[in-house]
Amino acid sequence: DKPLPLAWENITQAGRGNKKLNMMYVPIDAEEDIARAVAMTEEAMSAEGFGLTQRRMMATAVSELATNAYVHATKGAVTIARLGGTGGSGIEVTVEDQGPGIKDLEQAMVDGYSTAGSLGVGLPGAQRLADEFSIHSTADKGTVAVVRAWLV
């Protein structure tokens, strides 16, 4: 499997002068794939020495983003990368789909807003849980969200 062809290079730069190392790819085609992506995120973070709280925060963010990809686009992909270099160590998780896109991204980032009848806390919650968060969405092409955690 390889990442979906949506152009996401501009928001997935490793940041802090670092390089992406040891990338893992998880296609999201079924609900159990979400759990697999979450578990792989926690395992990668544990191997890097992240504490339990930071691992669970990122796991929750990844769960929210991967669930959105599955619910709104029926499939997507999660890429987990270890970041390393002069700027420190970290983990980057990219969640992408080729769904309908988010019509009003600014509104979608407001707590309580939902187009699916949910609580509407997924995207703003993921933003709060990650050290870094970026998202890009294009109508009829899909959405790409990137969350990063840095080892302190």
Side-chain angles (χ1 to χ4, degrees):
D1 289 319
K2 60 183 181 175
L4 299 172
L6 185 62
W8 49 278
E9 293 83 10
N10 61 329
I11 67 167
T12 63
Q13 298 304 313
R16 297 189 183 186
N18 289 350
K19 297 185 184 223
K20 295 180 188 179
L21 310 167
N22 303 340
M23 293 176 64
M24 297 177 283
Y25 178 77
V26 183
I28 304 296
D29 297 315
E31 284 185 27
E32 49 272 7
D33 296 330
I34 298 166
R36 191 162 58 102
V38 168
M40 288 175 70
T41 299
E42 282 205 73
E43 288 171 18
M45 291 183 76
S46 180
E48 285 300 302
F50 283 89
L52 180 61
T53 299
Q54 206 169 12
R55 291 193 319 257
R56 294 289 164 84
M57 289 170 67
M58 274 293 277
T60 302
V62 170
S63 177
E64 291 293 341
L65 295 171
T67 298
N68 279 356
Y70 181 70
V71 167
H72 296 286
T74 67
K75 67 185 227 173
V78 174
T79 305
I80 304 159
R82 185 172 65 85
L83 304 177
T86 58
S89 296
I91 294 288
E92 174 184 274
V93 181
T94 303
V95 181
E96 59 184 311
D97 67 57
Q98 292 180 318
I102 301 170
K103 289 185 171 93
D104 187 344
L105 192 53
E106 188 175 325
Q107 183 67 39
M109 293 304 298
V110 173
D111 278 315
Y113 178 79
S114 173
T115 59
S118 67
L119 294 174
V121 295
L123 289 179
Q127 182 176 29
R128 284 190 296 272
L129 291 167
D131 291 336
E132 295 179 23
F133 175 92
S134 57
I135 188 166
H136 177 76
S137 191
T138 303
D140 299 322
K141 293 197 185 268
T143 302
V144 178
V146 177
V147 288
R148 293 187 190 100
W150 296 100
L151 195 55
V152 183

